Amino acid sequence: TPVAEWLFDDPSNLTKAEIGDDLILVGVDSAVSGPEAGDGAVSIGIGSYYIANPYMLPNGADTAKRVNVYTMVFDFRVLDLEQWHCFGQTDPTNLNDGEWFINPGDGNVGVGSSGYTKNSITPGEWYRLAIVVNTADTNDNSGVKYYFDGVAQSLQSTGHVQSIDNRFSIA
């Protein structure tokens, strides 16, 4: 069950939440056309970002202090592969590195700790990306998995399994 959702369909209020709290904009954004007619989207400037408060409860273990099991879904496109593009940051103080990126040049999605997808994105095309995180499970379901348009992606490397309340856990 979604705990937060932002559709960007109201160009006069791009931070409006469909479910949960409105986003907080830090920097600059603007309305753009989405992947289908009537579907809104947002272009967010370099160095700009949204702060989201999904109010998820800590999960994954009796002693968990962070959110360790969750899924995020993005409809996105990028216009170039000349720079890093970041999908999110799990540290509300924004003092450490982001968690999931599109790497420049190659267009693969991921980060060293999880591995990068073998398949790459093409600038200007729309994609739906689901990032499934489970740092609480000690079997084969643990870690970070990437799905483009519902299809699981093979990773170029397996990355490192992250422990509970560590990297990829939402503070």
Side-chain angles (χ1 to χ4, degrees):
T1 303
V3 296
E5 180 178 46
W6 302 276
L7 298 179
F8 308 107
D9 286 340
D10 182 354
S12 67
N13 187 3
L14 292 174
T15 59
K16 175 184 168 191
E18 301 300 315
I19 300 172
D21 288 353
D22 290 352
L23 296 169
I24 300 167
L25 172 64
V26 176
V28 178
D29 67 357
S30 61
V32 297
S33 296
E36 297 179 11
D39 190 10
V42 65
S43 176
I44 190 152
I46 294 173
S48 299
Y49 57 93
Y50 292 119
I51 297 172
N53 292 309
Y55 298 109
M56 294 183 286
L57 296 175
N59 61 26
D62 291 339
T63 60
K65 296 180 177 129
R66 299 169 65 129
V67 179
N68 292 279
V69 181
Y70 60 93
T71 300
M72 293 190 295
V73 179
F74 301 89
D75 289 330
F76 75 96
R77 73 174 175 165
V78 295
L79 301 179
D80 65 65
L81 295 176
E82 296 173 9
Q83 61 194 9
W84 291 93
H85 299 276
C86 184
F87 287 101
Q89 161 67 276
T90 59
D91 175 14
T93 64
N94 201 30
L95 293 177
N96 62 7
D97 201 6
E99 307 305 339
W100 313 277
F101 296 88
I102 301 170
N103 65 356
D106 296 329
N108 305 102
V109 174
V111 69
S113 295
S114 68
Y116 285 88
T117 59
K118 286 184 180 177
N119 296 343
S120 60
I121 61 132
T122 301
E125 290 188 23
W126 283 96
Y127 297 89
R128 174 162 286 174
L129 170 65
I131 301 172
V132 179
V133 176
N134 184 347
T135 61
D137 197 336
T138 57
N139 62 34
D140 290 338
N141 293 318
S142 67
V144 178
K145 296 184 178 159
Y146 302 94
Y147 297 84
F148 280 118
D149 302 324
V151 178
Q153 296 294 297
S154 296
L155 300 178
Q156 289 180 344
S157 66
T158 57
H160 306 285
V161 174
Q162 300 297 312
S163 61
I164 194 165
D165 293 338
N166 206 328
R167 178 115 195 231
F168 304 117
S169 299
I170 300 173

